[in-house]
Amino acid sequence: MSLPYHKINVMTGIKSARTIKDGSEYAVLIKKAKRPLLILGPRVLTDTLNGKKLLDWAIELAQTAHIPICATAHTKKELLEKGVNPECTYDLMEILNSLKSPGWQGVKKEGNHDLVLFFGIRTDLATAGLSTLKHYAPHLKSMTLCKYYFPMPIIPCRTSRMMKNGKIFLTI
């Protein structure tokens, strides 16, 4: 059994997270999404996986799966330095508030998102934000790409499961 980083309110509500053991299952879920959104937090700038910054993994994921990027905190600057222009820049609370509304048209004005991937968000903010989406945004699924387990998203993923033989698991 996976234990969350913050051990309060582990089972709130009737929905709980489903841990997936095989990284290729995440690729299937992301492929099925019609309008996914990748939200990047400040930890993608500092944390690494197999000697590579999480930001580089996030860029590879977004480009491979054609997922729009929402830059939060101060991630936009480094994205621009790497030649990647995020579709939007929001404060985390702003994007969560927008995602709650079923009538919001999304970052590309093509309709609300059906899958939201959180990558590199602080654990306290992620816990609160994911709880908000779990209870007030039944129209979308949330997924975390983090080294910590969160009980609030529908699909939590530890970053170590994103890898197969040193490569990101997505072959989309």
Side-chain angles (χ1 to χ4, degrees):
M1 180 175 148
S2 296
L3 292 175
Y5 185 75
H6 299 285
K7 294 172 183 66
I8 57 168
N9 297 332
V10 174
M11 279 302 297
T12 57
I14 57 172
K15 294 190 291 184
S16 68
R18 175 175 73 98
T19 303
I20 298 173
K21 304 285 186 205
D22 183 17
S24 62
E25 288 184 58
Y26 293 100
V28 171
L29 292 167
I30 293 170
K31 280 183 187 181
K32 281 183 179 180
K34 293 182 178 130
R35 286 179 300 282
L37 177 65
L38 178 61
I39 300 176
L40 300 182
R43 287 205 168 154
V44 296
L45 304 176
T46 56
D47 293 355
T48 61
L49 178 63
N50 289 356
K52 188 174 172 182
K53 268 187 172 180
L54 292 183
L55 181 64
D56 297 324
W57 290 113
I59 291 170
E60 185 177 338
L61 171 66
Q63 290 174 343
T64 303
H66 308 290
I67 302 173
I69 296 175
C70 174
T72 66
H74 52 285
T75 58
K76 182 178 180 177
K77 180 181 177 189
E78 197 156 335
L79 281 167
L80 292 173
E81 288 172 3
K82 292 185 177 284
V84 177
N85 193 18
E87 272 67 27
C88 65
T89 304
Y90 279 100
D91 178 80
L92 183 62
M93 294 303 145
E94 282 181 284
I95 191 69
L96 289 170
N97 194 38
S98 296
L99 287 166
K100 285 189 316 185
S101 172
W104 186 54
Q105 288 300 302
V107 298
K108 289 186 166 187
K109 308 291 186 234
E110 298 171 349
N112 205 338
H113 301 282
D114 57 347
L115 176 66
V116 182
L117 298 94
F118 290 86
F119 202 2
I121 306 292
R122 276 183 20 205
T123 57
D124 57 339
L125 288 174
T127 299
L130 291 164
S131 176
T132 299
L133 293 180
K134 174 183 168 182
H135 295 291
Y136 299 106
H139 57 278
L140 62 83
K141 291 182 180 176
S142 56
M143 179 186 289
T144 56
L145 305 173
C146 183
K147 64 182 177 181
Y148 302 108
Y149 169 78
F150 293 95
M152 297 302 178
I154 303 304
I155 312 151
C157 173
R158 293 202 174 145
T159 48
S160 58
R161 293 191 183 132
M162 291 175 54
M163 303 286 295
K164 280 191 180 175
N165 302 322
K167 299 276 185 190
I168 197 160
F169 67 82
L170 289 178
T171 53
I172 297 175

